[in-house]
Amino acid sequence: MNGVANDHVLIFDPYTAGHHLEHLSHLVRYEVSRETGRRLSLVVHPDIDERCPDLVADSRASENVDVHSLQSEEWEQIRGSSNLLGQSVAEWNLVRTYGHDLQVDRCILMEMNVLQFALGLPLQPVDFDVDGILFFPYVRIDCEDQSPLKRWLCWLEKLRKWGQTEWMLRNTCLQTIYVLNDSEAAATLREIHTTDVFTPLPDPVPEWEKSDNARDGQMEAAGEWSEDRTHFLLFGSLRTQKGIRQLLQAAEQLAPSDASRMGLHLLGQPKNEWETQLPRRIERLRRVRPGLHLHYEGRFLSNVELAQAIEATDIILAPYQRTEGSSGVIGHAARHRCPVIGPSTGLVGSLIQEYQLGITINATSPSAIRRAMINLVGEQKIGDEEKMMEYVRERTPDAFASALLDELP
């Protein structure tokens, strides 16, 4: 395939959480705005009309962009799988079916991690090229500074993921594997697996709509963003990997005099065990540290609301427990010139340090998080705003879409 304008490209992404809908929207808007003559067919979640009506509306502006919602029984094939191997095969079967029926030239798997097992199976090759985005590359997993048992288990995980990657690479239809936001990992993977299929992909930083004065929003009316405190914000999916447990422990360890100078904002939908645990932990925190201004909204906020919150806050909290993947949080923080507290390890730590986006710590330690928060109270200059803007300029939504649709390696 040569990447000419009349290629028919299948975009396969049946999920809606996190970055999924945002990434799909970037591709649709890019294609509609350019009218390259290329045909784009998206295979997406059954409830796409309800969950992302703007994407569907944008697609209707071009006769070359089609949105195909999975049928409920097709979605059940994925969701009903009892294990990841079954899910992998179910997804790949849908890719093969849609790719064949739509007669595409190329398929882009918007998240190929689960599909690695099925991609390596000795099945009949498909008659189209396959590309995909690989998240959380194993070469970024840091096994140092752990107990002997944890270090051993960590290396076993890296070995397993090395094997998964080798297995996936058996598929001769694979042309390009995009590594999100990590040119170093892409180069390392090329060397380890002696193949040129790995290439970096910019993690897009969109520009959210915001009000003229972020402090005039609903949250300001509720008195959430007072000027006499330093405000810390954790947003997005509130789950274990985001460091919510360590953050709550850090907040409980604050001295009352330090807590009285801070506002802590937890804005996002709790996930998994935190759906029930988080409300209880917040009530406990209110009891033990009544001087801390604690603001919790257990729902996904709109882009406008999040833009208001980031503009109003002083420090973004990003104490990731797994650091080998990219982070949309640090991109949004950089766009708003808001410094972050993040991990010192992995890709996230490397990006924070390279672009001077804030400070890095041992994010697995509640004491380290607590000390960082105390040290930053009242600080006026954290990070480098010019470097923050450089980070954003290198990761525009158009750069992301162009790399996937136009710049075939």
Side-chain angles (χ1 to χ4, degrees), residues 206-215 217 219 225 233 235 267 301-313 316 332-333 335-338:
E207 185 170 5
W208 288 339
E209 180 184 353
K210 59 186 179 181
S211 68
D212 294 334
N213 186 344
R215 294 181 184 269
M219 288 179 286
W225 306 93
L233 169 64
F235 69 92
L267 308 182
L301 276 68
S302 70
N303 290 346
V304 172
E305 289 176 300
L306 281 176
Q308 291 177 344
I310 297 173
E311 284 288 313
T313 204
I316 299 294
H332 292 304
R335 174 171 288 286
H336 292 270
R337 298 178 175 86
C338 188

Side-chain angles (χ1 to χ4, degrees), residues 120-135:
L121 290 174
L123 301 172
Q124 182 70 24
V126 294
D127 55 359
F128 49 86
D129 291 342
V130 178
D131 305 323
I133 304 176
L134 182 68
F135 293 81

Side-chain angles (χ1 to χ4, degrees), residues 273-291:
E273 71 272 21
W274 291 101
E275 292 184 33
T276 55
Q277 287 188 24
L278 189 53
R280 293 199 298 267
R281 291 294 300 271
I282 286 175
E283 287 306 312
R284 171 178 158 181
L285 181 56
R286 292 188 196 279
R287 289 196 304 272
V288 299
R289 288 296 174 267

